[in-house]
Amino acid sequence: MSARTILIATGNPHKLEELGAIFEPLGIRAIGLHDISGGAGIPEPVEDADTFEGNAQIKAVAYARATRRTVLADDSGLEVDVLGGAPGVRSARYAGVEGDRATRDGANNAKLLDALQDVPDEERTARFVCAICVADAEGTVRATSRGEFAGVIGREPRGSNGFGYDPLLILEDGRTSAELTPEEKNRRSHRAEAGRKIAERLAAVLGC
């Protein structure tokens, strides 16, 4: 792996694309687990922390030690104020449904809408949160960051871009996160904010 390449601890092409677009202007190429030999077969660490930051660190350190590479990992999800911050770190597993991403996303969105069915619009405030951690080849944490993307939860999904809860989070301009173009989301999202915050430190870690 060249000095200007960072391994992202994910098999999610959406995350890889978003982070890649942020780091590309710095001359840093983002690759995923499927891009390295044996990467897809590395056992996933148990993400049992109660914060996004804790889970990001668990992933970064585990994959760095397994691959002997500098690794960037993120943990992200949705916090809904009236639900006490839920689904939070359980965002991806909120409905407890197995299956492909589309099936899980649909079940999670349906459960969230059901939980908020009787909640007035003004009380449906929420935010996407992304925590990023970079660990070097020894498993030492070298940088961390956090980004947020705020809005309110709508009453039905809208938009075909993005994934997860994107079709439900309505932004200040009235569009959902899933109605943003990929370019807009790359500039405005929680992952974009966290990525920008860590970009300069990442360049230093990689020796760019």
Side-chain angles (χ1 to χ4, degrees), residues 73-161:
D74 86 301
D75 192 45
S76 57
L78 180 71
E79 294 180 340
V80 180
D81 293 321
V82 75
L83 299 180
V89 294
R90 292 191 53 80
S91 291
R93 308 176 298 278
Y94 186 46
V97 171
E98 300 296 331
D100 60 22
R101 182 169 299 277
T103 299
R104 288 181 280 122
D105 285 352
N108 289 336
N109 286 345
K111 180 175 179 177
L112 181 62
L113 288 176
D114 184 65
L116 297 177
Q117 183 175 3
D118 299 323
V119 177
D121 291 348
E122 64 272 14
E123 296 179 19
R124 299 167 73 95
T125 53
R127 70 204 54 79
F128 285 131
V129 176
C130 176
I132 287 179
C133 179
V134 175
D136 64 22
E138 302 300 319
T140 301
V141 173
R142 299 290 302 275
T144 61
S145 68
R146 178 184 174 99
E148 297 186 0
F149 196 31
V152 297
I153 301 299
R155 295 192 175 273
E156 60 182 12
R158 294 200 332 250
S160 57
N161 295 328

Side-chain angles (χ1 to χ4, degrees), residues 14 20 57 60 143 173:
H14 300 287
Q57 179 171 328
D173 63 8

Side-chain angles (χ1 to χ4, degrees), residues 154-175:
R155 295 192 175 273
E156 60 182 12
R158 294 200 332 250
S160 57
N161 295 328
F163 58 98
Y165 300 93
D166 281 332
L168 293 182
L169 188 73
I170 301 176
L171 311 173
E172 287 185 354
D173 63 8
R175 292 182 295 171

